[in-house]
């Protein structure tokens, strides 16, 4: 199953602003926590699936002649929101999966849609794509395929827009089904979408935040309820009316495209959060493909690159079990109940007598209190490469000292179990 | 409008990038490029010291935005025609004018702000216009956005605010816009370019005839018809001609020149200049949209034909309300203030109105918000028979209501500057009123005038009219 998940990932720049990541220039005190915390949970679920690429359709790359696909391998620039430049001035650097972009583009063209590849290296990626991708994966270490929103709703009608999005979804599905890549599809949009036309003096003043209109709220709840029931076809059937009545940002076609590409999932969607941003209604939702929660073991072993354990692990049953166990340990990291730090140390320990690769980790800022457990692990006979691979596999965003300590400890346990 | 017209030239130019990036691929695109050159010469001849652009390709949501970065520099790529190449630019922006314009707009009740950020995405239309109209940054420029929701009154007030800021300047003002705006929705070879439909072509010709005759206000008056006839509805209305006419003086007395007209990927693109005539006088009928100050009550959802209806009822949906409720909108920061915490007005007036640094309150009585009960009792019953009442309680209730309104307006009692008090029975009530008044106002030391009057509109004995610092 190459499509491993779909995500409704709205892009109000306010959410990035309130999070204060290093890439964004303006700084906030707080704001929109319900949505941001929901996003954090979705991020965890989706990244745990280890996607190879994120394919995102954004309403703010508006094209009037066909659907366009980013097709430059690396794009680096500064994204300034034209509407809220006071909140969002973000320096980004992204990798684009150009091969996948080209495949998607040619499939869409073969399906009779108007298309274009965006090959200009000076191009600035729209802020909708940047916001959604940041909120899903702030480390930016997964390649992106960016798709534009072809605004047929303006030139023809919402119904034409819908048909086009359905066809684009079908073409996307065909490509991804034949692909080995594990892909997350992202519909970058709010639900109901009327802004207040005035901004409060403190943009993150939450006493001023509420939905613009009760009718919009009711519509949003109606759609979310259908998502929770796994009624994707009903959602798509209702989309033109919803878009008109709730003045929804689904007018970009992103959500119809995503549900069509996922062949109208019937499993209940996971709704992480709903909240208003300057009056608009926003839901953070995922559709996780049940059978594809994790990478196959062989891929997992490849990703660890354990030369020392090598084929034994990939082939042997016992090795497989061991690997499964270790993967669980590594993946669960600080989430288990054993997360309290056992690594307190008063004086700064020496790292110069450690193997080079591990010493480097400490040079790059790994907490020195971890020297002791690392040395203990090495003394216990854990291969250096295995220890290194286990630590490096902890996603950078979760790199707390407690979590690293725990992974070290669990690696030792796993190693001893394996040897026994 | 002032008799000294700061506008020395007006005009319109298209913002689609072909005349800049590939003029030689199509005779019409080249003609447009040449048209730009003639408009450039017209700007030089006019003696303008400022070039102001109103760009339909720069949408804004929170009021209007005005560019105020002195030297914005970037390599721009159009989001649609990125294949035509990049456009490096460095412009010279008149930041002080931008600030003045924004302040003037605020003073006229509009939401407006300047943008001064490295990397702010200046729209393709403005980039094309500045590159072709003012290639060497010979004169400084200013750019104002086009609000997607705004309609006529707001656009006229914006134009008047631009004029407020122009004192002592000579300004050339250009709209960045197309006439008919229907693009082809498939890729075409340059040779295949034509106006999208015969209907669009007829309308464009008519508009160009008007503009050639200098009948700018007539074209502005046609804006709603133009929107319904030849505009793809991406925004609420077709606004640029409202802006241009209002900023130039709302008349039909111009020397108009159509320098070029050609299809641009299906749209109708024209370069036009308008030189103001001498002693131009507007000959307009009464026009209710033509206001001087925007009242800030634009309510996009409640007043719009697009107001959302509740979704159809279903077992899964919560019960739908019989009708959509009016949208609540935070009113702090508005020119006018109304608060549910003060008694409902008994006429068409707000609780307070801010003008500059001052806050003017409508007359405030003792009635209680919500119930309309009168502390200390009414002065007469519903038949008109006199009742006994407590002036001290009424006066205290007046002061409490004033406190609530001031605080809802971002001010407070200690900022009161002047009080006018109205009593229906000076002989009976002055003493009690004066005592309660002193308890609060003694330390504030506002100026005060107390007046005896025959009656107030509800059965109350006292009302204050207050001016405070905002
Ligand atoms: Fe958006």
């Amino acid at each position: 199953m190459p499509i491993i998940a779909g995500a409704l990932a709205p892009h109000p720049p306010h959410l990035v602003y309130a999070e204060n990541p290093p890439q964004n220039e303006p700084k906030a005190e707080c704001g929109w926590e319900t949505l941001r915390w929901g996003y954090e949970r979705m991020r965890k679920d989706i990244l745990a699936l280890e996607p190879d690429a994120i394919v995102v359709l954004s309403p703010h790359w508006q094209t009037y002649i066909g659907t366009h696909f980013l097709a430059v391998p690396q794009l680096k620039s500064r994204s300034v929101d034209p509407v809220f430049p006071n909140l969002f001035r973000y320096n980004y650097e992204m990798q684009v999966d150009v091969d996948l972009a080209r495949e998607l583009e040619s499939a869409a063209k073969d399906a009779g849609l108007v298309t274009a590849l965006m090959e200009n290296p000076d191009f600035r990626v729209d802020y909708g794509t940047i916001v959604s991708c940041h909120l899903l994966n702030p480390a930016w270490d997964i390649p992106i395929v960016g798709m534009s929103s072809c605004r047929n709703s303006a030139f023809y009608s919402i119904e034409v827009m819908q048909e086009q999005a359905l066809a684009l979804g079908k073409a996307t599905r065909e490509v991804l089904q034949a692909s080995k890549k594990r892909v997350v599809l992202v519909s970058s949009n709010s639900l109901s979408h009327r802004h207040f036309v005035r901004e409060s003096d403190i943009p993150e003043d939450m006493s001023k935040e509420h939905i613009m209109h009760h009718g919009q709220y009711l519509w949003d709840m109606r759609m979310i309820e259908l998502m929770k029931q796994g009624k994707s076809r009903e959602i798509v059937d209702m989309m033109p009316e919803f878009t008109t009545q709730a003045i929804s940002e689904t007018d970009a076609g992103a959500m119809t495209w995503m549900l069509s590409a996922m062949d109208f999932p019937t499993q209940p969607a996971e709704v992480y959060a709903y909240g208003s941003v300057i009056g608009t209604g926003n839901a953070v939702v995922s559709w996780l493909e049940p059978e594809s929660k994790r990478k196959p073991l062989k891929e997992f072993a490849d990703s660890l690159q354990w030369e020392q354990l090598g084929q034994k692990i990939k082939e042997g049953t016992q090795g497989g079990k061991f690997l499964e166990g270790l993967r669980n340990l590594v993946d669960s990291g600080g989430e288990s109940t054993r997360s309290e730090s056992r690594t307190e140390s008063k004086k700064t320990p020496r790292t110069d007598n450690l193997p080079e690769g591990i010493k480097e980790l400490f040079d790059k800022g790994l907490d020195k209190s971890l020297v002791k457990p690392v040395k203990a692990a090495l003394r216990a006979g854990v291969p250096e490469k295995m220890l290194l691979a286990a630590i490096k596999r902890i996603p950078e965003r979760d790199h707390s000292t407690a979590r690293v300590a725990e992974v070290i400890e669990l690696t030792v346990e796993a190693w001893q179990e394996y040897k026994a | 409008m002032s008799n000294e017209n700061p506008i020395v030239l007006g005009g319109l130019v298209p913002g689609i990038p072909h005349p800049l990036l590939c003029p030689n691929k199509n005779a019409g695109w080249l003609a447009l490029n040449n048209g730009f050159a003639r408009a450039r010469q017209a700007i030089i001849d006019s003696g303008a010291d400022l070039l102001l652009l109103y760009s339909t390709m720069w949408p804004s949501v929170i009021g209007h935005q005005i560019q105020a970065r002195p030297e914005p520099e970037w390599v721009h790529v159009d989001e649609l025609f990125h294949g035509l190449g990049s456009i490096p630019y460095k412009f010279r922006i008149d930041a002080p004018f931008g600030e003045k314009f924004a302040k003037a707009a605020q003073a006229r009740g509009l939401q407006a702000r300047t943008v001064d950020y490295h990397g702010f995405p200046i729209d393709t239309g403005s980039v094309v216009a500045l590159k072709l109209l003012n290639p060497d940054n010979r004169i400084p420029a200013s750019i104002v956005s086009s609000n997607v929701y705004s309609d006529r009154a707001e656009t006229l007030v914006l134009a008047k605010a631009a004029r407020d800021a122009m004192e002592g300047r000579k300004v050339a003002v250009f709209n960045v816009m197309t006439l008919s705006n229907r693009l082809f929705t498939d890729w075409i070879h340059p040779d295949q370019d034509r106006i999208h439909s015969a209907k669009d072509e007829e309308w464009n010709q008519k508009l160009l005839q008007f503009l050639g005759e200098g009948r700018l206000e007539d074209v502005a008056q046609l804006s709603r018809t133009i929107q319904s006839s030849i505009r793809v509805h991406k925004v609420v209305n077709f606004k640029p001609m409202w802006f241009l006419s209002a900023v130039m003086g709302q008349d039909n007395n111009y020397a108009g020149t159509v320098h070029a007209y050609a299809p641009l990927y299906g749209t109708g693109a024209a370069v036009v200049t308008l030189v103001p005539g001498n002693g131009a006088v507007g000959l307009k009928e009464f026009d209710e949209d033509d206001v001087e100050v925007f009242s800030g009550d634009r309510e996009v959802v409640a007043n719009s034909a697009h107001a959302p209806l509740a979704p159809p009822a279903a077992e899964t949906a919560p019960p739908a309300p019989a009708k959509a409720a009016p949208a609540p909108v935070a009113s702090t920061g508005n020119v006018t203030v109304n608060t549910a915490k003060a008694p409902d007005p008994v006429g068409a007036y707000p609780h307070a109105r801010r003008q500059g640094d001052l806050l003017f309150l409508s007359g405030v009585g003792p009635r209680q918000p919500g119930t309309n009960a009168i502390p200390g009792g009414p002065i007469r019953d519903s038949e008109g028979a006199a009742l006994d009442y407590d002036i001290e309680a009424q006066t205290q209730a007046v002061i409490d209501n004033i406190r609530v309104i001031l605080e809802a307006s971002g001010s407070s009692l200690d900022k009161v500057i002047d009080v006018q008090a109205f009593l229906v029975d000076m002989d009976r009530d002055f003493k009690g009123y004066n005592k309660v008044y002193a308890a609060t106002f003694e330390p504030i030391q506002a100026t005060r005038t107390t007046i005896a009057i025959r009656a107030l509109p509800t059965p109350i004995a006292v009302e204050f009219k207050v001016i405070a610092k905002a």
Side-chain angles (χ1 to χ4, degrees):
Chain A
M1 178 58 68
I3 298 176
I4 54 173
L8 175 57
H11 57 248
H14 305 66
L15 303 183
V16 174
Y17 165 68
E19 186 186 294
N20 289 314
Q23 297 102 321
N24 198 32
E25 205 174 83
K27 296 294 167 221
E29 294 176 304
C30 62
W32 303 277
E33 275 68 21
T34 313
L35 280 165
R36 292 197 293 113
W37 295 341
Y39 245 122
E40 283 168 14
R41 290 194 298 278
M42 177 159 88
R43 186 187 290 170
K44 205 178 257 177
D45 279 359
I46 289 199
L47 294 180
L49 301 178
E50 297 161 17
D52 297 320
I54 295 172
V55 180
V56 52
L57 197 156
S58 168
H60 295 286
W61 184 7
Q62 303 200 347
T63 51
Y64 296 99
I65 307 174
T67 303
H68 296 217
F69 297 76
L70 294 180
V72 177
Q74 285 179 326
L75 287 163
K76 180 180 173 182
S77 188
R78 175 179 168 88
S79 173
V80 179
D81 182 341
V83 175
F84 299 102
N86 49 330
L87 308 183
F88 192 74
R89 304 190 295 279
Y90 183 101
N91 297 307
Y92 68 86
E93 198 169 346
M94 67 161 71
Q95 313 297 317
V96 175
D97 189 334
V98 176
D99 292 340
L100 186 56
R102 287 180 180 278
E103 281 183 66
L104 290 170
E105 189 262 352
S106 72
K109 189 183 273 174
D110 291 346
L113 296 168
V114 179
T115 60
L117 288 169
M118 200 307 295
E119 295 178 297
N120 187 328
D122 297 327
F123 189 77
R124 174 152 55 177
V125 179
D126 73 282
Y127 73 93
T129 299
I130 300 295
V131 169
S132 290
C133 288
H134 170 90
L135 291 169
L136 274 171
N137 181 26
W140 290 93
D141 54 3
I142 300 169
I144 308 285
V145 174
M147 293 166 65
S148 76
S149 166
C150 176
R151 312 301 283 196
N152 280 333
S153 49
F155 282 85
Y156 303 102
S157 69
I158 286 177
E159 286 73 18
V160 172
M161 187 86 197
Q162 168 103 337
E163 290 304 317
Q164 176 214 242
L166 287 169
L168 187 63
K170 194 158 170 274
T172 302
R173 178 171 187 77
E174 280 161 16
V175 168
L176 294 179
Q177 273 187 320
S179 165
K180 286 205 177 72
K181 285 175 181 157
R182 299 162 56 80
V183 173
V184 175
L185 302 181
V186 176
S187 171
S188 168
N189 57 273
S190 302
L191 295 177
S192 66
H193 198 238
R194 265 297 189 235
H195 302 81
F196 296 132
V197 291
R198 292 175 187 267
E199 190 177 42
S200 58
D201 294 340
I202 301 166
E204 62 268 38
D205 178 352
M206 290 295 101
S207 70
K208 301 287 192 305
E209 186 60 77
H210 57 81
I211 193 77
M212 177 80 166
H213 189 283
H214 181 54
Q216 287 180 302
Y217 194 89
L218 290 177
W219 264 111
D220 288 351
M221 290 307 117
R222 179 72 186 275
M223 298 308 267
I224 288 172
E225 193 55 45
L226 292 172
M227 293 176 202
K228 290 173 82 167
Q229 293 175 6
K231 294 186 173 172
S232 306
R233 281 205 186 270
E234 285 86 339
I235 291 172
V236 171
D237 286 348
M238 212 177 276
M239 197 70 83
E241 195 185 0
F242 169 62
T243 302
T244 311
Q245 293 295 335
I247 311 162
S248 165
E249 209 180 16
T250 48
D251 70 339
M255 201 165 158
T256 302
W257 157 77
M258 181 182 76
L259 293 175
S260 162
M262 297 185 78
D263 200 21
F264 311 99
T266 50
Q267 75 270 27
E270 179 79 28
V271 179
Y272 302 90
Y274 175 82
S276 70
V277 178
I278 195 159
T280 64
N282 298 274
V284 179
V285 182
S286 78
W287 287 258
L288 303 175
E289 288 291 352
E291 354 33 319
S292 63
K293 292 259 183 212
R294 342 201 65 198
K295 265 190 182 173
L297 272 184
K298 188 172 171 305
E299 278 181 43
F300 176 77
D302 286 344
S303 74
L304 287 177
Q305 295 173 330
W306 288 350
E307 288 150 38
Q308 206 152 340
L309 296 174
Q311 293 304 314
K312 239 196 310 185
I313 282 176
K314 290 184 201 165
E315 289 156 13
T317 324
Q318 200 191 347
K321 241 186 213 162
F322 159 71
L323 201 57
E324 183 64 52
L326 181 61
R327 177 165 74 176
N328 288 340
L329 301 178
V330 171
D331 286 355
S332 64
E335 261 182 46
S336 87
T337 52
R338 314 172 56 181
S339 62
E340 78 275 17
S341 171
R342 304 174 181 102
T343 56
E344 282 166 39
S345 169
K346 296 258 154 47
K347 56 180 185 203
T348 313
R350 292 175 54 187
T351 57
D352 52 357
N353 48 3
L354 286 170
E356 201 43 46
I358 293 180
K359 179 174 172 295
E360 206 175 291
L361 288 180
F362 286 106
D363 292 346
K364 282 185 181 161
L366 192 64
D367 195 292
K368 294 286 196 308
S369 67
L370 294 165
V371 170
K372 210 170 139 191
V374 162
K375 284 182 177 170
L378 293 172
R379 273 200 303 276
V382 177
E384 173 201 334
K385 284 193 174 154
M386 175 173 168
L387 192 61
L388 203 56
I391 295 173
K392 282 188 171 166
R393 262 190 60 82
I394 305 171
E396 205 157 317
R397 61 193 168 274
D398 294 337
H399 230 285
S400 68
T401 302
R403 183 171 284 205
V404 177
E406 190 194 23
V407 167
I408 293 169
E409 190 181 323
L410 298 175
T411 309
V412 174
E413 281 174 27
W415 172 252
Q416 284 167 345
E417 213 173 283
Y418 173 63
K419 287 228 299 190
Chain B
M1 292 283 160
S2 154
N3 285 331
E4 293 165 45
N5 193 352
I7 306 282
V8 291
L9 184 72
L12 43 110
V13 294
I16 298 168
H18 301 66
L20 173 68
L21 291 174
C22 54
N24 294 320
K25 285 192 175 170
N26 170 294
W29 303 347
L30 182 62
L32 287 165
N33 180 290
N34 291 332
F36 268 105
R38 283 191 286 276
R40 179 164 75 234
Q41 188 58 47
I43 295 171
I44 294 171
D45 295 345
S46 75
D49 58 27
L50 172 68
L51 173 59
L52 171 63
L53 300 181
Y54 173 92
S55 178
T56 58
M57 291 166 76
W58 179 11
S60 57
V61 173
I62 309 291
H64 289 86
Q65 299 194 119
I66 300 158
Q67 183 57 243
R69 188 154 188 90
E71 291 193 327
E73 193 172 2
W74 198 257
V75 176
H76 180 76
V77 179
D78 185 60
E79 62 179 357
L80 175 59
F81 296 111
H82 40 75
L84 294 181
S86 311
I87 315 175
Y89 66 75
K90 183 172 181 180
F91 296 133
R92 181 176 152 214
I93 297 294
D94 193 329
F97 174 79
E99 296 295 343
K100 237 173 132 180
F101 185 0
K103 285 209 174 69
Q106 287 157 8
R108 284 180 179 267
L110 294 172
Q111 181 93 349
R113 63 183 175 199
T114 53
V115 290
D116 174 7
Y117 303 109
H118 171 58
F120 182 90
I122 297 179
D123 63 286
T124 299
S126 296
V127 170
V128 168
L130 289 180
K131 291 286 271 192
L132 289 174
L133 287 178
N134 195 34
D136 309 316
N137 292 312
R138 195 183 56 80
I139 54 174
S142 184
I143 316 169
V144 60
S145 71
S146 173
N147 185 293
V148 295
Y149 300 131
S150 71
D151 216 323
R152 182 154 180 258
E154 190 168 350
T155 307
L156 296 191
V157 174
L158 179 76
K160 290 174 184 181
R163 267 184 93 103
D164 294 343
M166 287 176 185
E167 212 183 310
R169 302 296 295 265
K170 289 178 156 189
V171 185
V173 55
F174 279 77
N175 282 341
V176 179
M177 57 174 276
T178 51
L179 300 173
S180 64
N181 70 337
R182 185 168 284 275
L183 282 162
F184 289 112
T185 50
D186 202 348
W187 301 106
I188 57 161
H189 188 274
D191 295 344
Q192 298 170 311
D193 205 355
R194 60 175 173 79
I195 300 291
H196 199 282
S197 71
K199 173 263 299 177
D200 284 2
E201 171 68 10
E202 281 172 23
W203 266 103
N204 291 341
Q205 291 296 351
K206 191 74 188 163
L207 296 175
L208 290 171
Q209 183 197 331
F210 276 31
L211 290 168
E213 292 167 4
R215 295 164 61 188
L216 176 59
E217 178 59 22
D218 282 352
V219 177
Q221 294 286 340
L222 278 171
S223 288
R224 292 187 200 283
T225 315
I226 293 169
Q227 171 81 351
S228 60
S229 301
I230 53 165
R231 297 291 292 189
V232 170
H233 297 185
K234 297 184 213 163
V235 294
V236 169
N237 223 324
F238 177 65
K239 293 166 272 218
M241 304 312 280
W242 286 332
F243 180 83
L244 191 66
S245 184
V247 84
M248 292 191 72
Q250 295 174 302
D251 59 57
N252 286 315
N253 193 2
Y254 300 95
T257 310
V258 177
H259 296 287
Y261 166 66
L264 245 184
Y265 237 87
T267 67
V271 177
V272 177
T273 55
L274 296 155
V275 179
N278 285 328
V281 178
L283 284 174
K284 292 200 314 168
E285 294 178 19
F286 171 73
D287 181 346
E288 65 182 9
D289 276 344
D290 188 8
V291 289
E292 295 302 314
V293 173
F294 186 63
S295 61
D297 58 356
R298 162 156 52 80
E299 188 38 83
V300 179
V301 172
N303 294 343
S304 157
H306 297 297
L309 305 173
E315 316 97 84
T316 55
K323 60 172 186 172
V329 173
S331 56
T332 324
N334 283 11
V335 168
T336 59
V337 178
N338 280 296
T339 169
K341 292 180 189 156
D344 284 343
V346 295
Y349 57 85
H351 284 125
R353 181 177 186 92
R354 188 161 71 206
Q355 183 67 41
D357 295 339
L358 293 177
L359 195 65
F360 296 80
L361 269 60
S362 298
V364 179
R367 283 182 303 127
Q368 293 300 283
T371 63
N372 279 335
I374 299 166
I379 63 170
R380 58 178 184 271
D381 64 19
S382 54
E383 312 288 300
L387 297 170
D388 193 22
Y389 59 91
D390 179 353
I391 185 61
E392 292 188 15
Q394 283 206 11
T395 307
Q396 188 58 52
V398 169
I399 293 171
D400 292 344
N401 282 338
I402 287 169
R403 176 187 290 116
V404 164
I405 295 170
L406 287 170
E407 285 172 2
S409 315
S411 181
S412 53
L413 264 182
D414 60 316
K415 292 190 178 154
V416 171
I417 298 165
D418 180 64
V419 178
Q420 289 179 55
F422 304 92
L423 299 177
V424 295
D425 191 340
M426 185 74 82
D427 294 343
R428 177 188 185 279
D429 292 340
F430 182 79
K431 209 172 140 201
Y433 142 80
N434 206 30
K435 183 178 136 201
V436 174
Y437 181 91
T440 300
F441 280 95
E442 167 98 68
I444 297 169
Q445 288 294 305
T447 51
R448 187 184 87 178
T449 313
T450 307
I451 306 154
I453 51 164
R454 198 170 63 78
L456 286 161
T458 52
I460 57 176
V462 55
E463 179 169 305
F464 285 15
K465 167 96 183 79
V466 165
I467 300 171
K469 224 169 145 312

